[in-house]
């Protein structure tokens, strides 16, 4: 029996985020913007390689894999790949983070295959604003696909990046949306990642201020404990008289490093131990090496997991500009 992955600070590493592509069909102002360069196709991990990595991660005690991107459904064959992965690893919790523009026709098949959880990004309740933020007129499709996922019995978390001057005037609409549906609506603080995002401290709508604003429109009760449904890094609140919940994720004002249980693999096979650390471990050369194989890759994952940094290393080590904005794009890390 292989010992489960635990870091030097006693945190067990049970969650892996795998980016399947750095390409996206949206151009969200806070994430990517227009005019990006993408990783060349031959450098992107093949689906068989990702399946190998999932198997190794399972052997090391990882229980949950989240596929992300870029936009996962932009990659050819992604839905079929996810169905295949769910069939091969039925004991693992496989989920996906998506902008939900392309998931529509795949929802029932994914649900049948055992994909029970989906995180969907939606930053506004206004169609025109959606187009201003994302550069595409896909609001109605996303709204429809959220309901489709719920109808298929999936657990849905909707994530909105909270930005001053962009969506801080929309709380009544956000609350109504979450009140009417059995889902988690989570606000994520705007993070200083990516140089073209226009990030600036004054644009951060902090979790504390979001909560104060939300309390003006709803009777909120903290959800205590993890319960049956995993809450991840969010502080969740039940909405009095409503079906859904709202939540706060505060990576900027209140890091959740002490309980962080995740590793990230980028689409070109770099293992990152922290969203805010530039330190990477290269898995692809070992994966593709004719003789090294599984043992070597597992050894790298184990060494990386053991040395997960205890706190965000943004200010200490990261390639950042003079305002502390990380130079790496979020779309290439996978959020
Ligand atoms: N395309 C998928 C999607 O839209 O969810 C997955 C990739 S996206 C990079 C993953 C998550 O990162 C999304 O929820 C997105 O809103 C979030 N994100 C991107 N840039 C961010 C930023 N600067 N601050 C906070 N969250 C950000």
């Amino acid at each position: 029996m292989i010992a489960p992955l635990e870091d030097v600070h006693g945190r067990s590493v049970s969650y892996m985020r795998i980016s399947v592509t750095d390409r996206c069909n949206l151009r969200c102002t806070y994430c990517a913007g227009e005019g990006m360069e993408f990783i060349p196709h031959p450098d992107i991990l093949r689906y068989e390689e990702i399946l190998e990595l999932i198997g190794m991660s399972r052997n090391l005690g990882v229980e949950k894999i989240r596929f992300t991107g870029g936009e996962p459904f932009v990659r050819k064959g992604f839905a079929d790949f996810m169905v295949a992965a769910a069939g091969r690893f039925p004991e693992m919790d496989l989920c996906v983070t998506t902008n939900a523009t392309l998931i529509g026709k795949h929802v029932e098949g994914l649900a049948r295959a055992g994909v029970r959880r989906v995180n969907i990004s939606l930053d506004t309740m206004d169609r025109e604003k959606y187009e201003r933020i994302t550069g595409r007129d896909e609001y109605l499709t996303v709204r429809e696909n959220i309901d489709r996922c719920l109808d298929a019995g999936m657990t849905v978390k909707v994530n909105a990046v909270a930005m001053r001057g962009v969506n801080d005037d929309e709380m009544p609409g956000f609350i109504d949306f979450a009140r009417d549906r059995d889902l988690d609506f989570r606000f994520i603080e705007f993070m200083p990642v990516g140089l073209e995002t226009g990030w600036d401290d004054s644009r951060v709508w902090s979790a504390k201020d979001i909560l104060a604003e939300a309390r003006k429109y709803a009777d909120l009760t903290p959800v205590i404990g993890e319960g049956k449904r995993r809450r991840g890094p969010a502080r969740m609140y039940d909405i009095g008289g409503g079906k859904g919940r709202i939540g706060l994720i505060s990576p900027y004002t209140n890091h959740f490093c002490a309980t962080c249980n995740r590793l990230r693999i980028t689409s070109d096979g770099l293992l990152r131990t922290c969203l805010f650390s530039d330190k990477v471990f290269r898995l692809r050369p070992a994966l593709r090496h004719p003789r090294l194989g599984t043992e070597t890759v597992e050894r790298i994952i184990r060494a990386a997991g053991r040395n997960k940094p205890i706190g965000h290393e943004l200010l200490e080590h990261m390639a950042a500009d003079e305002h502390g904005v990380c130079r790496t794009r979020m779309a290439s890390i996978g959020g």
Side-chain angles (χ1 to χ4, degrees), residues 15-37:
Y15 175 19
M16 181 89 86
R17 292 175 74 101
I18 302 181
S19 171
V20 296
T21 177
D22 63 333
R23 287 157 212 254
C24 188
N25 55 336
L26 302 185
R27 293 290 178 269
C28 301
T29 51
Y30 56 79
C31 182
E34 301 281 354
M36 300 175 301
E37 280 186 24

Side-chain angles (χ1 to χ4, degrees), residues 30-31 68-71 97-99 121 161 189-191 330 334-335:
Y30 56 79
C31 182
T68 177
E71 170 50 39
T97 294
T98 174
N99 59 35
S121 302
V161 179
E189 284 173 346
F190 188 11
M191 288 188 263
M330 189 72 100

Side-chain angles (χ1 to χ4, degrees), residues 105-172:
K105 63 179 182 199
H106 304 296
V107 168
E108 285 76 22
L110 288 170
R112 263 197 312 277
V115 175
R116 277 176 288 277
R117 298 190 308 115
V118 56
N119 285 9
I120 295 175
S121 302
L122 179 64
D123 312 303
T124 177
M125 295 285 124
D126 180 283
R127 182 176 173 183
E128 281 172 22
K129 197 189 282 185
Y130 182 92
E131 188 169 356
R132 282 202 298 282
I133 296 174
T134 67
R136 307 288 184 266
D137 180 18
E138 295 284 357
Y139 176 76
L140 298 178
T141 308
V142 174
R143 288 292 303 258
E144 202 175 294
N145 287 341
I146 290 173
D147 289 334
R148 204 159 168 174
C149 290
L150 288 168
D151 290 345
M154 289 177 170
T155 298
V156 177
K157 294 179 183 176
V158 175
N159 294 323
V161 179
M163 292 168 284
R164 284 272 180 220
V166 177
N167 55 7
D168 59 345
D169 58 342
E170 289 199 54
M171 189 55 83

